[in-house]
Amino acid sequence: MTTHRIALYPGDGIGTEVVDATVVLLDMVARTTGRFALAYESFDWGMPHYERHGRVAPEDFLTTLRPFDAIFLGAVGWPARLPDHVTLTPLIRMRQAFDLYACVRPARTFPGVTGPLRRTDPIDVVVVRENSEGEYIDNGGIVAAGTPGEVAVQTAIHTRRGVERILRFAFDLARTRRQRLTMITKSNAQRYAYVLWDRVLEEIAPQFADVQADKLHIDAATLELVRRPHTFDVIVGSNLFGDILSDLTGGVTGSLGLNPSANLNPERRFPSLFEPVHGSAPDIAGRGIANPTGAFLSGAMMLEWLGETDAAGMVRQAVERALAAGHATPDIGGTLSTTQFTSAVVDHLVP
Ligand code: NAD
Ligand code: IPM
Ligand code: MN
C-alpha cells in the first residue's frame, strides 16, 4: 500500500477548522478504498508560532517541506494581531521558491446551492493564475518612510518564459474541458507587461487551434463574469488578476467557502501545495461554522495529483450529493456546523 506524506499547514482562523475537517474526510476515504494511506505532519506556523518564537515560520521551513509529497494549507492571516504582509509571506515564498507556477482554481455551481445571481445556467470555470512572478515579485522599496514626501515603488516582473508556460498550461487544460480560453489583460493602460501577455497569446494560440481563445481586459472581465459567467471555461491571467478573479468566481458560484485550489509545479520537482481559495475569515473564526467544501475539494485535487483518481472522485461525488441533499453551512443558507456538514459528506461517501 502506498503512503503519501502530507505536510499540514493549518495556519490561522478558520484555516485550522477546515483542515481538521478535511483530515477526517480524507482519512475516511483512504480507509474506504483500502488502497493508500496518508501520513500527516502538522506545523503550527502562523500566529501560534509567531507568539512563541517571534516569527510566523522557522527560517528553514522550505527545507522542512521539501521532502513531502504534498502540502495542504488551511489559510493564513490574522490582520487584527499581525500585519498581513508578515503572516502571508511564507505562502508567497512557497509558491515562488517551489516554482508552483500554475495555480488552478475551479469554481462551479452545485445543485442545491443558490448563487447570488439567480441564474439557472450552470457555471463551471477554472481560473488559471500565474503564481510565480508578475505583481507578486518582492521588488520595490520605500523612501522617506512616514514623511509627507514618502514614496513607494513596487515593480511587477513578467517574463516571456513565465507568461508562455502558464498560457500553455491553460491551453492544455482547456483541451480537456470545453476548449475555450479567455486571457485576462490590461494592455490598454499597462503598455509593457500586458502587451507582452497579448503578444505571447497571439504567438502560441495557433498551436492550439482546437481551442477557441480570446482576451478581455480585467475590468471588462469582472463585468462579464457577473453578466454571463456560464459562458467562461478556462480563464488565464497574471498573479494579481487571477487572485482577484478567483474571489469573484467564488462569489458568483455561491460562496468563497466552496472553491478549491492547487498550486502546482507541473514538472514535479517540488511538492505542490493545495488550499482552499478563501482566507482565515476572522469574522466567523472560532464559531465552528466555516464551510469546509473548498478545503475538501482541494483535498480531492491533491489526491488526484498524487495519482489517487478514484479517491478524488469519491470526495467530489460525496460533496455533490451532500449539497444536493440540502446539507449546508450558514454561508450557503444552511444551519449546519463545520462538524455536522463534514459528517454529512462522510455519510455520502460511496465506495
Ligand atoms: P476571507 O476569504 O477570509 O473572507 C471573506 C469573506 O468570506 C468573509 O465574510 C468570510 O466569512 C467568508 N468566508 C471565507 N471562507 C469561508 C468559508 N470557508 N466558510 C464560510 N464563509 C467563508 O477574506 P478576508 O476577510 O479578506 O481575509 C481574512 C484574512 O485572510 C486576511 O488576513 C487575508 O490576508 C487572509 N487571506 C488568506 C488567504 C490564504 O491563506 N490563502 C486567502 C485570502 C485571504
Ligand atoms: C490567495 C490569497 C493570497 C494571494 C494572499 C493571502 C497572499 O489572497 O491565495 O488568493 O493574494 O495570493
Ligand atoms: Mn486571494
Side-chain angles (χ1 to χ4, degrees):
M1 189 161 69
T2 319
T3 298
H4 303 291
R5 292 194 61 217
I6 312 297
L8 296 178
Y9 185 160
D12 307 302
I14 66 165
T16 58
E17 301 168 30
V18 299
V19 168
D20 286 348
T22 305
V23 167
V24 169
L25 177 64
L26 296 190
D27 277 346
M28 187 57 86
V29 170
R31 264 205 299 282
T32 308
T33 67
R35 281 202 297 270
F36 66 96
L38 298 168
Y40 306 101
E41 192 169 339
S42 191
F43 299 97
D44 69 343
W45 301 337
M47 271 309 290
H49 193 275
Y50 183 83
E51 278 170 355
R52 272 198 299 281
H53 308 285
R55 47 184 308 146
V56 287
E59 205 166 348
D60 61 350
F61 82 107
L62 290 171
T63 313
T64 304
L65 292 173
R66 181 81 164 84
F68 284 89
D69 296 316
I71 305 160
F72 193 85
L73 182 136
V76 287
W78 203 252
R81 286 160 70 188
L82 199 61
D84 270 350
H85 68 270
V86 178
T87 343
L88 275 39
T89 301
L91 174 59
I92 297 174
R93 286 277 296 132
M94 284 187 282
R95 291 175 179 163
Q96 295 181 1
F98 290 159
D99 204 19
L100 306 176
Y101 65 85
C103 183
V104 183
R105 298 186 152 187
R108 52 162 292 199
T109 40
F110 291 94
V113 180
T114 313
L117 301 181
R118 310 261 176 273
R119 304 189 63 96
T120 50
D121 332 89
I123 303 170
D124 181 3
V125 304
V126 182
V127 175
V128 173
R129 166 184 184 185
E130 201 299 313
N131 215 29
S132 66
E133 53 174 49
E135 305 87 346
Y136 277 59
I137 286 290
D138 190 20
N139 183 38
I142 293 195
V143 180
T147 72
E150 184 163 1
V151 177
V153 176
Q154 184 128 28
T155 307
I157 295 186
H158 302 258
T159 65
R160 171 177 279 276
R161 173 175 168 268
V163 174
E164 183 170 340
R165 68 182 180 173
I166 198 65
L167 290 183
R168 288 189 181 280
F169 182 94
F171 270 113
D172 283 337
L173 180 64
R175 277 187 163 157
T176 69
R177 294 174 44 92
R178 302 196 309 279
Q179 290 94 32
R180 290 216 49 184
L181 176 140
T182 306
M183 191 193 84
I184 307 304
T185 185
K186 187 61 191 171
S187 51
N188 52 357
Q190 300 271 299
R191 302 193 307 126
Y192 309 108
Y194 305 112
V195 169
L196 174 64
W197 278 77
D198 287 5
R199 228 178 327 113
V200 177
L201 176 70
E202 232 169 83
E203 282 170 24
I204 70 168
Q207 297 166 33
F208 299 90
D210 49 326
V211 175
Q212 192 190 329
D214 60 7
K215 61 183 180 188
L216 276 178
H217 294 301
I218 179 69
D219 48 352
T222 58
L223 171 66
E224 297 306 330
L225 271 167
V226 172
R227 202 153 65 166
R228 51 172 182 90
H230 58 287
T231 64
F232 289 87
D233 180 12
V234 173
I235 298 172
V236 58
S238 69
N239 215 329
L240 183 61
F241 292 165
D243 175 46
I244 295 166
L245 290 185
S246 54
D247 263 41
L248 180 56
T249 52
V252 297
T253 51
S255 168
L256 193 50
L258 296 169
N259 302 113
S261 82
N263 302 260
L264 302 177
N265 175 246
E267 292 76 25
R268 295 180 186 263
R269 287 190 296 119
F270 299 96
S272 288
L273 163 71
F274 301 82
E275 50 163 348
V277 173
H278 65 74
S280 56
D283 55 340
I284 58 163
R287 292 168 52 196
I289 55 165
N291 188 342
T293 301
F296 291 169
L297 297 174
S298 304
M301 293 180 89
M302 178 173 79
L303 290 175
E304 191 162 322
W305 185 250
L306 295 171
E308 305 297 349
T309 311
D310 293 348
M314 270 177 72
V315 171
R316 292 189 178 115
Q317 208 177 52
V319 164
E320 280 165 33
R321 288 182 182 180
L323 291 171
H327 300 288
T329 44
D331 58 309
I332 48 173
T335 56
L336 297 187
S337 68
T338 308
T339 315
Q340 289 167 330
F341 181 76
T342 304
S343 302
V345 174
V346 167
D347 288 344
H348 284 81
L349 283 173
V350 178

